[in-house]
Amino acid sequence: MTELETHMAREVAEIPEAAQRFLTESAAQVQAAAAAMRQANPQLIVTVARGSSDHAATYLKYAVELLAGIPVASVGPSIASIYGRPLHLANAACIGISQSGKSPDIVAMTEAARAGGALTIAITNFADAPMAQAAAHCLPLAAGEEKSVAATKTFVSSVVAGLALLAEWQNDADLRKAVADLPRAFAEALKQDWSALSNRLSRAQQAFVLGRGPGFAIASEVALKFKETCGLHAEGYSAAEVLHGPSAIVQERFPVLALAVEDAAQPQIIATAERLAAQGADVFITGAPAKGCTTLPAARGLHPLVAPLVTGVSFYHFVEQLARRRGFDPDTPPHLRKVTQTL
């Protein structure tokens, strides 16, 4: 690492390599977990996660519901860790996602889900973590050490793991091919120039981030990273939900980032972006033209279930630079630690 390079910048640059390492080194574990999913034939999937990992879980929720048609719900870890209430999870699968795999509430909920009859799968960077040991199957991310407090390569690898599992479980050739191509797509994403957005947000105090489907998960992650690394109060919304109240505060020069990818929701995202621009907002939209909005470059021609994640990699590259421009050290957000353990 050079004197001026942050840990975050280095770890973002490692995303293509980290994704490839997971796909190579954890292929057998993905196959085993997928076989278990086919045998269990779950009628419900629950996810257990917090922070960025919960955004990865939200991404997986939409991907599973769109491809497999199985409902996915997030369960509060405190149901097990604080309230001690068992859940009846026969005919269900539970997917826990945690960068460290150490937080007591995540471990407790994984143990409770297994005791309640669920097939349990852990997605974590450490194969020997307590959550991994509590689950029936583990998908080790093999992302390498992540020193920056803000999770980047582990978030991306967590989503890659979930998508790889989904592709194998459903035996979907198109998604399997798209996942295998992700290291290349991530490398291209790191080259995208979002300096126009940087110029607008260099002194901004607030922003909305919009998405739909898996893109909503990325919008939530983007908003969190704005808070963590830049001291920018951002909120992530569905491009539909933002119209049910929050858009009332969007007035002249209010910054909005709309994440549009080539899927069925793109026309609606464009329509919402144009509506907010007409209210006077400074709207930036990825990968699609929209009236009154600034278009940011994004990869085209990707599978719709991986496209939002690729856009997220472009954002990580951008936000590390924005943080430094705003006078923040993105490696050490105030009042935060790398491993957060909660009950």
Side-chain angles (χ1 to χ4, degrees), residues 223-244:
L224 175 61
K225 287 297 185 287
F226 274 141
K227 295 184 185 83
E228 279 185 325
T229 67
C230 299
L232 174 61
H233 182 201
E235 297 296 334
Y237 288 106
S238 156
E241 190 66 31
V242 74
L243 301 178
H244 290 263

Side-chain angles (χ1 to χ4, degrees), residues 11 84 96 121 124 134 140 151 182 229 323 336 341:
E11 289 157 7
I121 299 172
T124 180
L182 277 173
T229 67
L336 295 177
Q341 299 190 11

Side-chain angles (χ1 to χ4, degrees), residues 105-168:
D105 51 354
I106 303 297
V107 176
M109 190 66 244
T110 302
E111 293 172 339
R114 192 170 185 177
L119 168 66
T120 49
I121 299 172
I123 297 176
T124 180
N125 202 26
F126 303 99
D128 60 350
M131 183 184 74
Q133 295 174 353
H137 294 269
C138 176
L139 306 184
L141 299 180
E145 183 181 9
E146 192 171 58
K147 294 184 178 181
S148 179
V149 170
T152 53
K153 63 178 179 176
T154 53
F155 169 82
V156 173
S157 292
S158 294
V159 178
V160 172
L163 292 173
L165 174 63
L166 175 60
E168 296 304 322

Side-chain angles (χ1 to χ4, degrees), residues 94-117:
C94 173
I95 300 176
I97 305 176
S98 171
Q99 183 269 331
S100 70
K102 294 180 179 180
S103 190
D105 51 354
I106 303 297
V107 176
M109 190 66 244
T110 302
E111 293 172 339
R114 192 170 185 177

